[in-house]
Amino acid sequence: MRDGLVTVEVRHGDVTLAGRLDRRSAVDLAGRLAGQVSGVVRVTNAIAYDADDTISDPRQVMPVA
């Protein structure tokens, strides 16, 4: 798996992130970073991911359809 494409749409301080990344942690990071940009009032994170790497037990990391 490799990181994919993310699109960003901004309207009046509302940011919408869409696309697909390989890891859930990358999706979460993208949302947090977008929220730290000056002028952003709301972030809608609609990025999909292939694997949930936020699970504590690495044997439980499962692909997400």
Side-chain angles (χ1 to χ4, degrees):
M1 289 181 276
R2 70 189 216 332
D3 279 343
L5 177 68
V6 173
T7 59
V8 180
E9 183 179 321
V10 181
R11 184 178 295 263
H12 305 293
D14 291 335
V15 174
T16 300
L17 305 174
R20 187 168 202 92
L21 295 173
D22 65 341
R23 296 171 289 120
R24 181 176 180 180
S25 61
V27 172
D28 295 341
L29 177 61
R32 286 194 310 271
L33 291 174
Q36 294 177 2
V37 175
S38 178
V40 170
V41 295
R42 181 175 60 185
V43 175
T44 301
N45 192 342
I47 302 172
Y49 55 88
D50 295 320
D52 186 348
D53 63 335
T54 63
I55 299 171
S56 298
D57 184 350
R59 294 173 294 169
Q60 294 179 350
V61 174
M62 302 284 292
V64 178

